[in-house]
């Protein structure tokens, strides 16, 4: 068993080119829309790390302290104001076009089929309740496009798992609303196990 973490579609293509042949490949991709490079550079000039766990991009950690909760509320409000301002200046946009997604998925699947007889693709969803409206709308379009592109590959040798609506609750996620909690991993294991039984 071998795992590779933190891969995007493009980086997966590079990894698969040198990956050994396997009986089973399991992909677990998260759908998220990152800050574009221009915004990250702008953030560095302003002294803001947009990729940091405690930056404007990520929700602040939970706390029982009233002062910390107030700070978090201010931080979220400030972060969202910055996002709207950047959106209307044309800087806040997703890193890749939706038109590129199908080509990237086709390339990943093409290479994967040469490396393994059986493929399981888990398309992970992030919670969007802490995102601004513009992010939620954009995210939904990307996620639907990915699901659409995967449909043509569904077969006995290619299992596609998408998370049900019932999975999308805060208890299954860490506070960044992207990574799974311990409970989320447990439920994900159940979903994958059921897919193995039916496959």
């Amino acid at each position: 068993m071998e795992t590779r973490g933190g891969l995007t579609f493009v980086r997966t293509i590079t990894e698969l080119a040198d990956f050994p042949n396997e009986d089973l490949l399991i992909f677990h991709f998260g759908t998220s829309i990152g800050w574009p490079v221009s915004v990250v550079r702008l953030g560095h000039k302003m002294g803001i790390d947009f990729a940091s766990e405690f930056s404007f991009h990520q929700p602040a950690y939970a706390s029982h302290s009233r002062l910390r909760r107030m700070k978090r509320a201010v931080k979220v409000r400030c972060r969202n104001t910055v996002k709207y301002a950047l959106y209307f200046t044309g800087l806040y946009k997703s890193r890749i076009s939706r038109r590129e997604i199908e080509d990237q998925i086709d390339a990943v699947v093409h290479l994967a089929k040469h490396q393994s007889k059986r493929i399981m693709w888990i398309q992970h969803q992030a919670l969007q309740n802490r995102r601004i409206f513009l992010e939620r709308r954009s995210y939904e379009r990307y996620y639907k496009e990915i699901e659409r592109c995967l449909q043509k590959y569904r077969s006995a040798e290619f299992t596609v798992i998408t998370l049900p609506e019932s999975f999308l609750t805060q208890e299954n996620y860490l506070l960044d609303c992207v990574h799974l909690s311990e409970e989320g991993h447990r439920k994900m294991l159940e979903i994958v196990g059921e897919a193995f039984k039916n496959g």
Side-chain angles (χ1 to χ4, degrees), residues 33-52:
I33 301 170
W35 293 87
V37 174
S38 58
V39 173
V40 173
R41 286 183 187 148
L42 177 65
H44 285 229
K45 288 180 183 176
M46 296 168 59
I48 302 170
D49 181 4
F50 285 98
S52 167

Side-chain angles (χ1 to χ4, degrees), residues 57-81:
H57 185 55
Q58 296 290 347
Y61 57 87
S63 173
H64 297 296
S65 161
R66 186 176 178 188
L67 179 61
R68 286 187 176 166
R69 285 201 309 271
M70 287 172 61
K71 283 183 179 177
R72 176 184 167 274
V74 169
K75 192 174 186 179
V76 169
R77 182 74 56 89
C78 183
R79 177 196 66 192
N80 289 347
T81 301

